[in-house]
Amino acid sequence: MRLSGALVLPLACAIAAAQQPDARRVEARVSAVSGASLYIDQGSDAGLEPGDRGRVFAASGQTVDIIVRSISRQSARCDVLVPDAVVTAGEQVEVLVPRERADAGAPTWTHPKETWDPSAPLLAPTRAPTPAEREPRFRGRWYTGFDGTFDGQGDGREYLLARTGFDGEWENATGRGDVVRFDGEYFHRSSDGGQGDETLDRLRVDRASWRLGDWRENSRRMEFGRFLHSELPQLGVIDGGEYVVRTQGGDRFGASAGLFPAWNASLDTGDDVQASVFYRHVGGEDGEFSLGGALQKTWHEGREDRDVALTDFAWRPNERWWIAGSAWIDLYTADDTLKSEGLELTELHLNARYQRKGEWGMSSAFSQVRWPFLLRDELPPTTSATISAGEVRRLNVSWWRQLSDDVRISARLDPWSDQDDSGLGGELRAARRDWLWERGEVWASLFGMDGKTTTVSGLRLGASRWTDAGSLSCAYELARNETDGVTGPFESLLQQNLRTSWDFALGTDWSCALRADLYFGDEQDATSVGIWLQRRF
Amino acid sequence: MAHGHRSESLHGGWILSSVALFCLLVALSVACASAARDGTPVQGWWDARGPVIPHEKFPADCSLCHEGKGWDRIRADFVFDHERETGVALEGAHRAAECLRCHNDRGPVSMFAARGCGGCHEDPHRSQMGPACESCHDQVTWRPGELIATHARTRFPLVGAHAAAACWQCHPGAQSGNFARADTSCESCHAQDLARATNPDHAAQGWTSDCQRCHMPVAWDGAAFSHGFWPLSGAHASASCAQCHAGNVYAGTPNQCIDCHQLDYDTAASPDHVTASFTFPTACSQCHTTASWQGARFSHAGITSSCVTCHLPDYQSAANPSHVTYNFSQACEQCHVTSSWSVSNFSHAGISSGCSNCHMPDYNATTNPNHAQSGFSTTCESCHTSTSNWGQDNWNHPDFPIKTGRHAGIACTTCHTQQGNFSFFNCTNCHAHRQSEMNSEHDDVGGYVFGPQTCYQCHPNGND
């Protein structure tokens, strides 16, 4: 075997050099193999450049074509061009380098004589520094945005929303691997016209917390302040603290207690208190299965309010399947006058997806929602009748198929039902990429929905393009809206919507987005514009 | 149920100042952006940060990624094809994200990736929007777009005014990520409109649900108001609510015409609906429309007499001709038909004079020739010979023969040379004899005078 290899190698090299008389062979060795890449022990000093081609003469006798992708002075990373080739470290490599480049010779050795330095890396496995050894670091973003909607229909009405916010993390703030986080936003909102003017200015703090622990070498985590439960976000934002322990197998369990801000736009706090315990099991080599559960009890202005059990799961057995779900189960007592005493499944969400990458895929989702009976401010305005008897079930089935490299079709069906009605929606969509222009997409769809009070059918067209100047997109919608149970001029409305947006970067740290919407057609006349500016640091 | 409600403090007058302040912020931001274009590279490495992820499986050649004396910097030309090396393509904002955002010592990335978007991104929706973030978000901006289209997949497609409404108007917690399903009943969002509705007072009437019976999704008030269960057509469209709903009591409002129009019925004088010789029906719509209470369309089917029972006021007020002055018969049907009151069927039998009693307006209105200006006789019958045809072929020229004889067929203006004045005529306009000849020819005629009209004194028939 070795003999045959010794014969084949010079022969192959001779043939290759003969095919390219202006090239010179540069010999190298494979120093490491990683996935589809291998590393060789020659680099720019030997005249190599990205794009140069060569061959590996494997010990098995196989010759494997490679191409240089990136280089350093004394090494290069190459891609293997032969599928399923087996290459191991130490095997011989031949790279063809243009003669004029190879003859230029290696640059003069300029490396100074090495002296011992205690900070110089040793030939030993690297060690992650402890948080105490790292320097503090601050990162985050600042943003501001403006949205204005000018509705000319009827008496006319204007909606303006201006917001600016800050979202930052101060890592290793005290040198113990802790993190201080703050998210806050100030916004101004006004509406003008119609039945009156309204203006609202508000500062909202989404997060202001200090967290310690839960890195590789610390299995315990505690967090204080205002934050969103991270193990089960269903538990919501609290003003308090939580303590979490990670087991050897990756499971986490813990408890939290504190004030429970209302889940409204201002996150008003002080009226509610919550306490919860939770456990999350993580299974599989990569944590591809997770199952979580929690119990939460809340009080509103000193009165017992909600007793709810939460659970969720996610399972990704392989790259094609993904299944997930979550559920809320409320326990009602005789004091909950709008509900029957006992357990009630308040919310259930189930999702499943299967996809063959680049070929086709489908997904389905089912949800069942009832309205909980709460003392606290958490839900949109809801009538007593809806709380006591309201129930919505939704099913979604979606399917897509890649017809070719640039053409994709998709379809979906959305049946729904509630306590006294049912309906069905659907859409059929086709998209083609790089058709009218490169790095762009054009699409069209037909859709329909039999809604609660309105039946809609229509057409959507859209186009988008990604360039160095940003992402530009526009979309058009034509819809026939028929209001159920109504006669007269409003029975059937033909309405249209035109939307365009442009997202682009300003330098390396800034990004900006502009958008405009136009609503027109029967009984509709509104314009909406928006701008979004963000800087990250 | 003590379900919470928003307790926002609203105050006014800040719109313009806030917009101006915001514009200023934007301008400053853009200026800052221009100044910061050459900022820190995305993959910048901090000297003292050190590796926070295991390197055991990395290539032994550190120079592939690092540079610097202590290998504490990432090479300036560092390139890593994430899809090729790991099989996971980075798209959108992930493409430019710092490696350590995902690859750090808080856990293996594969574990977070197995949970989908929620493995790394906190879910402010608290899982109540489901785990499929990509149905609303994308990887480029994360900010959701195409919300109208997305909302069309729900039970409540956004139509009319709802399409232009801001999210927070229905989802009051939208800005903190609370898009919990809104109740589709109108009153759940329009509670404030309901409370404000005082004309009519909805709450007092007990109208606190089923808003869609009257209101449209296009606009809540004004033209969008629907009274479809009892269409407000014609005059009802402009009527005030209280005209039908007396005392602003809406419950039990009757829906028959007579229920509201009883007084109109009782006081109707033309004709008198109550005391007429026959009883008018109370089904008003048989004669009246909603366009106007006046001008009823009465069905005269089967009625051939006694018109004056209803039409006596018409008889009394008729001026052309005045029925009273000329003592017309009250048997209206002798002249009128039921299809149209104005087209009469008057019988002229036995009438040979006094035409102007009725036709004086015709006399005054005639312009060709203008009877009044020309001083025509008001004895119509002296010229007009037929009562069945008042037209051009049925009149006489009693003072001078023009239908027969030598002057037949000539135009009126040949003799009546003054425009509009038919009392004047000029014989010498055609008979242009020399006066000396006429004088010698009439030297034996006593009282002869030469002139344009003196011929007529001796030649009234136009003969020699």
Side-chain angles (χ1 to χ4, degrees):
Chain A
M1 192 66 168
R2 288 184 180 277
L3 179 62
S4 61
L7 292 174
V8 169
L9 174 61
L11 180 60
C13 293
I15 293 171
Q19 290 172 340
Q20 293 182 273
D22 294 330
R24 173 165 292 183
R25 297 175 315 203
V26 173
E27 294 182 357
R29 290 281 179 179
V30 177
S31 56
V33 178
S34 175
S37 297
L38 59 83
Y39 298 85
I40 61 176
D41 59 2
Q42 294 288 359
S44 59
D45 286 354
L48 272 62
E49 284 187 2
D52 289 342
R53 289 176 176 269
R55 282 177 176 169
V56 178
F57 301 95
S60 63
Q62 183 186 14
T63 57
V64 180
D65 289 336
I66 61 173
I67 183 169
V68 177
R69 291 297 186 191
S70 60
I71 60 168
S72 66
R73 289 182 59 185
Q74 296 175 26
S75 66
R77 183 177 68 82
C78 308
D79 285 344
V80 177
L81 301 178
V82 181
D84 302 321
V86 177
V87 178
T88 58
E91 291 177 331
Q92 191 169 357
V93 179
E94 185 83 26
V95 180
L96 295 178
V97 178
R99 186 177 298 276
E100 58 185 26
R101 199 197 311 152
D103 290 344
T108 306
W109 180 257
T110 57
H111 195 282
K113 184 178 180 181
E114 291 187 357
T115 57
W116 185 82
D117 183 345
S119 66
L122 303 177
L123 297 178
T126 56
R127 176 184 66 83
T130 64
E133 296 172 317
R134 301 179 201 159
E135 284 189 353
R137 187 185 187 199
F138 191 78
R139 59 163 298 279
R141 67 180 180 127
W142 166 85
Y143 63 87
T144 189
F146 170 81
D147 290 282
T149 300
F150 310 93
D151 189 353
Q153 192 63 31
D155 297 333
R157 197 165 180 82
E158 296 177 358
Y159 307 103
L160 301 176
L161 174 64
R163 50 199 297 219
T164 184
F166 173 79
D167 169 3
E169 286 186 3
W170 188 12
E171 296 180 12
N172 206 20
T174 66
R176 291 183 290 180
D178 53 342
V179 181
V180 175
R181 297 194 288 182
F182 178 85
D183 297 354
E185 181 180 277
Y186 170 79
F187 65 86
H188 164 86
R189 191 173 78 198
S190 66
S191 56
D192 180 17
Q195 296 189 6
D197 302 342
E198 292 183 353
T199 303
L200 175 65
D201 292 277
R202 178 188 290 147
L203 174 65
R204 186 184 72 244
V205 176
D206 292 296
R207 178 188 296 275
S209 71
W210 179 74
R211 188 178 70 179
L212 177 65
D214 199 17
W215 60 83
R216 199 183 323 167
E217 295 165 357
N218 187 344
S219 61
R220 298 170 191 275
R221 183 184 79 218
M222 62 182 74
E223 187 162 8
F224 300 97
R226 169 171 289 188
F227 58 92
L228 176 66
H229 284 88
S230 55
E231 296 304 327
L232 277 97
Q234 297 94 327
L235 293 171
V237 175
I238 65 168
D239 291 332
E242 75 167 0
Y243 188 80
V244 183
V245 177
R246 187 181 71 231
T247 68
Q248 191 68 26
D251 292 3
R252 286 182 169 91
F253 62 90
S256 69
L259 296 175
F260 198 25
W263 198 24
N264 55 27
S266 57
L267 295 178
D268 300 319
T269 192
D271 290 341
D272 300 272
V273 175
Q274 76 90 38
S276 60
V277 293
F278 49 86
Y279 190 98
R280 177 171 295 286
H281 167 69
V282 178
E285 187 175 348
D286 290 329
E288 58 265 25
F289 176 75
S290 110
L291 174 65
L295 296 173
Q296 185 180 50
K297 185 173 184 62
T298 69
W299 292 264
H300 179 77
E301 296 178 342
R303 299 164 56 196
E304 289 191 36
D305 189 8
R306 188 176 198 183
D307 299 290
V308 61
L310 305 167
T311 183
D312 69 5
F313 77 96
W315 185 35
R316 189 171 295 194
N318 52 51
E319 288 300 315
R320 293 179 177 174
W321 279 101
W322 173 73
I323 304 169
S326 59
W328 284 251
I329 301 172
D330 275 279
L331 172 64
Y332 294 111
T333 66
D335 294 335
D336 299 312
T337 54
L338 294 180
K339 293 289 186 179
S340 301
E341 194 172 347
L343 296 174
E344 180 176 290
L345 177 62
T346 303
E347 285 193 51
L348 173 66
H349 303 277
L350 296 173
N351 295 265
R353 183 170 67 199
Y354 175 82
Q355 62 178 357
R356 297 177 68 91
K357 195 170 182 181
E359 298 178 23
W360 68 277
M362 65 181 301
S363 65
S364 65
F366 172 79
S367 67
Q368 174 176 304
V369 178
R370 293 190 179 100
W371 276 260
F373 180 62
L374 299 179
L375 299 174
R376 97 191 212 96
D377 184 6
E378 176 166 316
L379 300 172
T382 306
T383 63
S384 298
T386 301
I387 292 173
S388 60
E391 178 180 282
V392 182
R393 294 191 185 91
R394 289 185 54 80
L395 176 66
N396 165 259
V397 179
S398 301
W399 167 88
W400 64 267
R401 183 175 183 83
Q402 198 77 31
L403 294 182
S404 64
D405 288 343
D406 56 354
V407 178
R408 177 187 175 107
I409 58 172
S410 58
R412 63 171 175 82
L413 279 178
D414 299 305
W416 62 268
S417 67
D418 61 17
Q419 64 278 7
D420 50 26
D421 203 356
S422 64
L424 174 68
E427 184 166 11
L428 182 63
R429 187 178 191 271
R432 184 170 183 181
R433 302 187 69 147
D434 304 330
W435 179 31
L436 299 179
W437 48 73
E438 289 189 354
R439 299 178 65 196
E441 183 179 77
V442 178
W443 56 267
S445 73
L446 297 171
F447 69 96
M449 168 51 99
D450 178 15
K452 184 74 173 175
T453 57
T454 309
T455 301
V456 183
S457 58
L459 162 73
R460 296 189 181 110
L461 304 171
S464 57
R465 188 180 187 189
W466 306 275
T467 70
D468 294 337
S471 172
L472 181 66
S473 67
C474 58
Y476 169 77
E477 179 180 296
L478 174 68
R480 169 73 67 186
N481 305 303
E482 295 177 352
T483 305
D484 299 338
V486 169
T487 57
F490 303 108
E491 179 181 9
S492 180
L493 303 172
L494 187 64
Q495 300 186 328
Q496 301 172 73
N497 172 219
L498 188 61
R499 177 189 177 90
T500 183
S501 64
W502 180 32
D503 298 309
F504 57 97
L506 290 167
T508 55
D509 300 328
W510 290 80
S511 58
C512 184
L514 305 172
R515 73 159 183 88
D517 282 77
L518 198 60
Y519 307 95
F520 56 103
D522 295 342
E523 305 298 333
Q524 184 175 242
D525 175 21
T527 303
S528 181
V529 295
I531 180 173
W532 176 267
L533 190 64
Q534 175 176 288
R535 184 182 190 274
R536 65 183 183 191
F537 46 83
Chain B
M1 152 62 177
H3 173 235
H5 294 285
R6 287 173 288 174
S7 56
E8 302 172 348
S9 61
L10 299 176
H11 54 88
W14 288 91
I15 297 177
L16 290 178
S17 58
S18 299
V19 170
L21 176 62
F22 177 77
C23 293
L24 178 62
L25 278 173
V26 171
L28 287 174
S29 302
V30 173
C32 293
S34 302
R37 290 198 169 197
D38 298 319
T40 305
V42 173
Q43 302 297 348
W45 190 269
W46 290 49
D47 291 356
R49 188 173 178 83
V52 292
I53 50 176
H55 280 50
E56 286 81 359
K57 296 180 181 178
F58 284 18
D61 185 354
C62 307
S63 67
L64 288 172
C65 304
H66 294 272
E67 63 184 8
K69 189 175 179 181
W71 301 119
D72 56 359
R73 294 197 307 272
I74 293 291
R75 290 171 51 125
D77 61 347
F78 173 76
V79 175
F80 186 81
D81 189 332
H82 201 279
E83 183 175 14
R84 178 181 294 276
E85 302 294 345
T86 68
V88 178
L90 296 182
E91 299 176 358
H94 294 116
R95 194 188 301 272
E98 187 181 25
C99 304
L100 288 176
R101 294 293 303 279
C102 302
H103 300 280
N104 53 49
D105 61 355
R106 301 206 177 272
V109 174
S110 56
M111 186 180 74
F112 298 121
R115 298 182 194 172
C117 303
C120 298
H121 295 275
E122 285 189 332
D123 180 8
H125 311 309
R126 297 167 52 183
S127 294
Q128 289 176 311
M129 303 295 288
C133 308
E134 65 275 14
S135 62
C136 297
H137 298 276
D138 64 46
Q139 296 189 55
V140 177
T141 61
W142 193 249
R143 288 179 299 104
E146 304 293 338
L147 291 178
I148 300 296
T150 302
H151 216 282
R153 299 171 61 174
T154 72
R155 292 180 300 154
F156 198 83
L158 299 178
V159 178
H162 293 113
C167 303
W168 48 262
Q169 291 191 283
C170 301
H171 303 278
Q175 287 172 233
S176 56
N178 181 5
F179 285 92
R181 285 151 181 79
D183 193 339
T184 56
S185 60
C186 310
E187 60 271 22
S188 63
C189 289
H190 290 281
Q192 292 187 9
D193 298 304
L194 173 61
R196 282 198 294 257
T198 55
N199 183 26
D201 188 334
H202 285 41
Q205 301 302 326
W207 301 342
T208 55
S209 62
D210 298 330
C211 310
Q212 69 275 10
R213 289 186 59 199
C214 301
H215 295 275
M216 298 290 153
V218 176
W220 189 250
D221 51 14
F225 178 73
S226 170
H227 207 269
F229 50 90
W230 205 94
L232 296 176
S233 60
H236 293 116
S238 57
S240 67
C241 305
Q243 285 184 266
C244 299
H245 306 288
N248 277 332
V249 176
Y250 289 80
T253 302
N255 58 9
Q256 297 300 313
C257 308
I258 192 64
D259 295 326
C260 291
H261 291 281
Q262 183 69 56
L263 184 61
D264 298 308
Y265 180 90
D266 293 342
T267 58
S270 176
D272 186 328
H273 287 35
V274 180
T275 60
S277 59
F278 69 95
T279 303
F280 273 56
T282 55
C284 309
S285 59
Q286 289 186 13
C287 304
H288 298 274
T289 67
T290 58
S292 172
W293 189 251
Q294 304 299 326
R297 287 182 171 273
F298 182 71
S299 173
H300 293 79
I303 296 177
T304 56
S305 62
S306 302
C307 305
V308 76
T309 303
C310 297
H311 291 284
L312 181 58
D314 298 311
Y315 176 92
Q316 293 170 335
S317 61
N320 181 27
S322 171
H323 290 29
V324 176
T325 302
Y326 301 111
N327 195 27
F328 277 26
S329 167
Q330 291 190 346
C332 310
E333 59 274 17
Q334 290 183 7
C335 302
H336 297 276
V337 294
T338 57
S339 59
S340 174
W341 191 252
S342 60
V343 178
S344 64
N345 189 26
F346 184 73
S347 172
H348 290 80
I351 296 175
S352 58
S353 63
C355 302
S356 61
N357 291 338
C358 297
H359 291 283
M360 201 59 200
D362 300 311
Y363 175 92
N364 290 328
T366 303
T367 57
N368 184 25
N370 190 317
H371 288 29
Q373 187 175 348
S374 302
F376 281 17
S377 168
T378 57
T379 306
C380 309
E381 56 272 21
S382 63
C383 297
H384 297 279
T385 59
S386 170
T387 59
S388 61
N389 188 344
W390 196 256
Q392 186 175 2
D393 296 334
N394 294 286
W395 53 272
N396 281 330
H397 198 269
D399 297 328
F400 194 79
I402 61 171
K403 289 196 172 184
T404 57
R406 300 170 61 184
H407 292 85
I410 63 175
C412 303
T413 55
T414 304
C415 301
H416 301 285
T417 55
Q418 290 186 3
Q419 186 176 2
N421 182 9
F422 283 82
S423 61
F424 176 82
F425 60 91
N426 187 346
C427 301
T428 57
N429 190 40
C430 296
H431 303 284
H433 309 295
R434 285 186 299 180
Q435 185 176 356
S436 57
E437 290 181 359
M438 288 299 104
N439 291 345
S440 60
E441 188 173 333
H442 292 79
D443 57 357
D444 58 339
V445 178
Y448 160 79
V449 176
F450 183 83
Q453 296 179 343
T454 52
C455 309
Y456 178 73
Q457 296 175 3
C458 297
H459 305 281
N461 295 324
N463 296 324
D464 292 337

